[in-house]
Amino acid sequence: MNRKVTKAIFPVAGLGTRFLPATKSIPKEIMTLVDRPLIQYAIDEARAAGITEFIFVTSRGKGALEDYFDHAHELEASLRKSGKNELLEILRGTNMESGAIAYIRQHKALGLGHAVWCGRRLVADDEPFAVILTDDVIMGEPPCLQQMIEAYGETGGSMVATMEVAPEKASAYGVLDVAEDMGAIVKVRGMVEKPAAGTAPSNLAVIGRYILAPTVMENLNKLKAGSGGEIQLTDAIADDIAAGRDVFGLRFRGQRFDCGSKAGFLQATVAFGLERPELSEEFAEYLHDVMALRRAAE
């Protein structure tokens, strides 16, 4: 029986330079889609998958991210006194119990693999763990990581979330070399980080959700520089494959938004706004009017 996954590492040390000047004063992970920050979407997804311990790999200037998870006692008391129970319940969803969350500093930006490695002392030597990249916001039901946990219960090994991309975009991703395609699940022969144009082994790209065997952390201990001179997580997973250990990809059900880009962030804002019952009708009408005006001006 596969050991239960209860810990997740969140690499959130990036400077968010693509969103300057906003990220001059606030962490990118606190920027909001509708009324929830990016980090809340990641936390909600992790909780739905059964994660109970949350490890944040941060950097200097991320104090607001840490404060976000504190209990706001005065605000809660005010909402309670005003009888605003719905808002109070929403606020409680942002709270973390003492001991459930830990913060580790990544002092140098040496790649995703290095960020994950920074959390090594909080993960037992024989313990599988999840990794969630908050830039990748996924609209799906059940949530993506929950789908992966369910599939992992059948396969064991390590697992990455994967989606099909256009061949010309493959060079922006880690790409799977598929040994066996079983439909929703593929068995992986190898992984290539940001392959040169025309050399990708498939059109299946790795996106920011992982369930990793303890041996992947052992591989990261070697701290080998890979593509771009950084320590790549895909290289550590590839080392497991080379050692004969199982790695799988899951074609998750849902839509992924790259909220590390401005266009992706705006697309996610529209998609999540249209999903909200209290906003959808008015928002859809506005979007319709905007597009009608654009077409009329052409």
Side-chain angles (χ1 to χ4, degrees), residues 109-174:
L110 297 177
L112 176 57
H114 181 263
V116 172
W117 176 81
C118 287
R120 66 197 180 282
R121 291 190 175 91
L122 297 179
V123 179
D125 291 343
D126 61 347
E127 186 175 25
F129 59 98
V131 175
I132 297 179
L133 306 188
T134 57
D135 277 356
D136 284 336
V137 177
I138 301 173
M139 179 185 288
E141 190 57 44
C144 180
L145 189 63
Q146 183 177 340
Q147 295 177 41
M148 294 176 69
I149 291 287
E150 292 170 358
Y152 165 80
E154 300 295 326
T155 65
S158 292
M159 179 170 288
V160 300
T162 187
M163 68 178 191
E164 295 183 1
V165 298
E168 64 271 17
K169 295 184 178 180
S171 61
Y173 298 88

Side-chain angles (χ1 to χ4, degrees), residues 24-258:
K24 177 183 177 182
S25 60
I26 62 170
K28 178 181 62 178
E29 297 80 17
I30 296 296
M31 294 176 63
T32 57
L33 294 178
V34 188
D35 57 3
R36 289 171 170 79
L38 293 178
I39 194 63
Q40 188 67 52
Y41 287 92
I43 288 293
D44 290 344
E45 182 179 333
R47 284 172 167 164
I51 299 299
T52 57
E53 295 184 57
F54 307 82
I55 303 165
F56 286 80
V57 181
T58 68
S59 60
R60 187 178 180 85
K62 297 284 184 172
L65 177 61
E66 299 179 18
D67 291 342
Y68 176 76
F69 294 108
D70 279 351
H71 291 247
H73 298 291
E74 291 183 3
L75 180 55
E76 290 181 16
S78 176
L79 293 174
R80 192 178 299 108
K81 184 177 180 180
S82 303
K84 297 179 179 179
N85 295 325
E86 185 175 343
L87 289 176
L88 184 61
E89 193 60 30
I90 290 172
L91 189 63
R92 284 172 176 163
T94 71
N95 295 340
M96 284 284 189
E97 296 301 323
S98 297
I101 190 166
Y103 300 96
I104 302 293
R105 282 287 182 96
Q106 183 186 24
H107 296 295
K108 295 181 179 180
L110 297 177
L112 176 57
H114 181 263
V116 172
W117 176 81
C118 287
R120 66 197 180 282
R121 291 190 175 91
L122 297 179
V123 179
D125 291 343
D126 61 347
E127 186 175 25
F129 59 98
V131 175
I132 297 179
L133 306 188
T134 57
D135 277 356
D136 284 336
V137 177
I138 301 173
M139 179 185 288
E141 190 57 44
C144 180
L145 189 63
Q146 183 177 340
Q147 295 177 41
M148 294 176 69
I149 291 287
E150 292 170 358
Y152 165 80
E154 300 295 326
T155 65
S158 292
M159 179 170 288
V160 300
T162 187
M163 68 178 191
E164 295 183 1
V165 298
E168 64 271 17
K169 295 184 178 180
S171 61
Y173 298 88
V175 178
L176 301 182
D177 184 1
V178 176
E180 183 180 2
D181 193 329
M182 299 171 280
I185 297 174
V186 298
K187 190 169 185 180
V188 180
R189 179 188 297 115
M191 303 176 71
V192 181
E193 183 66 26
K194 297 181 179 179
T199 66
S202 76
N203 68 339
L204 290 178
V206 178
I207 63 113
R209 301 292 184 275
Y210 307 80
I211 298 173
L212 300 176
T215 47
V216 174
M217 190 68 84
E218 293 177 13
N219 297 337
L220 286 172
N221 282 327
K222 303 170 188 176
L223 297 180
K224 296 185 300 183
S227 176
E230 296 183 336
I231 297 164
Q232 300 292 346
L233 182 59
T234 49
D235 289 344
I237 299 171
D239 286 348
D240 250 26
I241 299 171
R245 303 184 184 101
D246 288 338
V247 175
F248 300 90
L250 176 71
R251 292 184 173 101
F252 62 91
R253 302 182 302 279
Q255 185 175 3
R256 172 256 189 181
F257 299 93
D258 176 12

